[in-house]
């Protein structure tokens, strides 16, 4: 049975993806392909490039080391608040390869064509531009010019890329949704809300509704994991280790649903 992993978008909440992947591996469950949207594309790229150890090491660093580097890239441009090209330098620390062909497993990153509204599934060519396009939240990160298309965050059209995972050959899909509709979000009083909160909060609401629509339309995975990450803001990168633990715990809470895969893994 070919197991695939579909990783949804949700900003810093995506650290929970790392916990899910780590716990699945401990149980002997190893996906043969991965699809990702936004932060899910980043983690998917890391998994497919075989550099998870680097990501875990970075998460374990104290905030004073990692946060200043993230904030360094907040340089407004004519198209967004942050120049996405500079983010590539940070991502390059975790993903050393440059093309999809160099990855250890099939991987797909999802983006949205800003001009047509089409879902764009990227499976070949330049890896970094694909990941950057998938995570380019409109207004926050600048769009990506890739192969003649203007691309932005894939969460606008496909926040939980189950179908893309099946297109890669997965027969059994484990999907991780980090925008659970029932989970309460972190609330800020009116006088504390900034432009990032407005943009990302809007996208989160849209992602929840799109995910609901996709699942209702027959795009359900075999196992749907929804880590309890609702109390974490999408840009709160200080919660990395806590989110990793939440991801690990979520897998344990779904052991019964994973029993078919666990049986095969033990054979």
């Amino acid at each position: 049975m070919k197991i695939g992993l579909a990783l949804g978008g949700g900003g810093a909440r995506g650290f929970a993806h790392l916990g899910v992947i780590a716990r699945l591996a401990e149980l002997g469950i190893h996906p043969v392909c991965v699809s990702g949207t936004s932060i899910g594309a980043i983690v998917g790229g890391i998994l497919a490039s075989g550099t998870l150890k680097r990501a875990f090491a970075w998460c374990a660093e104290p905030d004073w080391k990692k946060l200043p580097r993230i904030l360094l890239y907040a340089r407004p441009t004519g198209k967004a608040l942050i120049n996405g090209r500079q983010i590539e330098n940070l991502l390059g620390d975790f993903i050393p390869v440059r093309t999809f062909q160099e990855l250890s497993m099939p991987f797909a990153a999802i983006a949205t064509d800003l001009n047509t509204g089409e879902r764009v599934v990227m499976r070949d060519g330049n890896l970094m531009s694909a990941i950057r396009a998938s995570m380019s939240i409109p207004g926050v990160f600048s769009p990506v010019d890739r192969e003649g298309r203007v691309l932005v965050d894939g969460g606008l059209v496909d926040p939980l890329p189950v179908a893309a995972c099946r297109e890669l050959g997965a027969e059994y899909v484990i999907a991780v949704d980090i925008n659970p509709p029932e989970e309460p979000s972190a609330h800020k009083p009116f006088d504390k809300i900034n432009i990032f909160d407005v943009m990302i909060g809007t996208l989160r609401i849209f992602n929840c509704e799109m995910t609901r629509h996709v699942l209702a339309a027959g795009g359900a995975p075999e196992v749907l994991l929804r880590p309890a990450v609702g109390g974490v803001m999408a840009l709160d990168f200080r919660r990395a280790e806590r989110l990793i633990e939440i991801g690990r715990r979520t897998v344990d809470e779904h052991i019964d649903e994973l029993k078919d895969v666990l049986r095969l893994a033990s054979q």
Side-chain angles (χ1 to χ4, degrees):
M1 182 185 296
K2 295 181 179 179
I3 303 169
L5 199 57
L7 306 176
R13 294 171 165 196
F15 288 122
H17 290 323
L18 292 172
V20 168
I21 292 168
R23 185 62 182 133
L24 288 176
E26 290 171 356
L27 293 170
I29 300 174
H30 303 282
V32 298
C33 60
V34 59
S35 61
T37 295
S38 199
I39 188 69
I42 296 175
V43 176
I46 292 172
L47 172 63
S49 64
T51 54
L52 284 171
K53 287 184 179 179
R54 296 188 190 184
F56 282 106
W58 184 84
C59 290
E61 288 185 351
D63 293 339
W64 66 269
K65 280 191 174 182
K66 60 174 176 279
L67 287 182
R69 187 163 182 202
I70 294 172
L71 297 175
L72 178 66
Y73 298 117
R75 297 176 182 175
T77 70
K79 296 180 176 65
L81 295 174
I82 299 176
N83 185 337
R85 281 195 175 278
Q86 294 170 320
I87 295 295
E88 289 189 19
N89 296 328
L90 179 60
L91 295 178
D93 291 346
F94 308 108
I95 305 174
V97 303
R98 289 290 169 257
T99 67
F100 280 81
Q101 289 69 29
E102 298 173 74
L103 297 173
S104 62
M105 69 174 70
F107 166 58
I110 315 303
T112 303
D113 187 313
L114 186 62
N115 291 319
T116 67
E118 292 178 285
R119 166 180 174 266
V120 180
V121 180
M122 298 165 286
R123 298 172 52 179
D124 54 34
N126 185 283
L127 177 64
M128 203 58 65
S129 73
I131 293 175
R132 190 163 68 84
S134 183
M135 60 162 280
S136 290
I137 301 169
V140 178
F141 299 107
S142 58
V144 174
D145 180 3
R146 179 182 163 92
E147 299 177 358
R149 307 182 89 163
V150 180
L151 303 180
V152 294
D153 196 292
L156 295 173
V157 291
D158 194 1
L160 192 62
V162 176
C165 197
R166 296 199 191 282
E167 291 165 11
L168 291 174
E171 300 168 324
Y172 187 103
V173 177
I174 300 172
V176 188
D177 178 14
I178 50 175
N179 282 302
E182 299 85 4
E183 192 71 24
S185 297
H187 295 284
K188 280 188 177 182
F190 182 82
D191 61 344
K192 299 294 184 181
I193 293 175
N194 58 42
I195 189 170
F196 287 101
D197 297 324
V198 174
M199 290 179 176
I200 292 179
T202 301
L203 185 62
R204 179 187 61 78
I205 294 169
F206 191 83
N207 282 352
C208 285
E209 291 305 309
M210 278 299 299
T211 299
R212 195 193 318 272
H213 171 75
V214 169
L215 295 176
E222 276 65 39
V223 176
L224 177 60
L225 304 180
R226 280 181 162 154
V229 296
V232 179
M233 298 296 287
L235 291 179
D236 193 353
F237 290 91
R238 298 170 300 171
R239 311 296 182 189
E241 291 189 288
R242 173 188 165 194
L243 287 163
I244 288 172
E245 182 55 35
I246 289 173
R248 293 174 60 87
R249 190 163 62 243
T250 301
V251 173
D252 289 335
E253 292 169 353
H254 289 77
I255 288 294
D256 286 345
E257 294 176 59
L258 292 165
K259 60 184 178 182
D260 290 339
V261 178
L262 288 170
R263 186 179 66 252
L264 290 173
S266 64
Q267 293 178 353

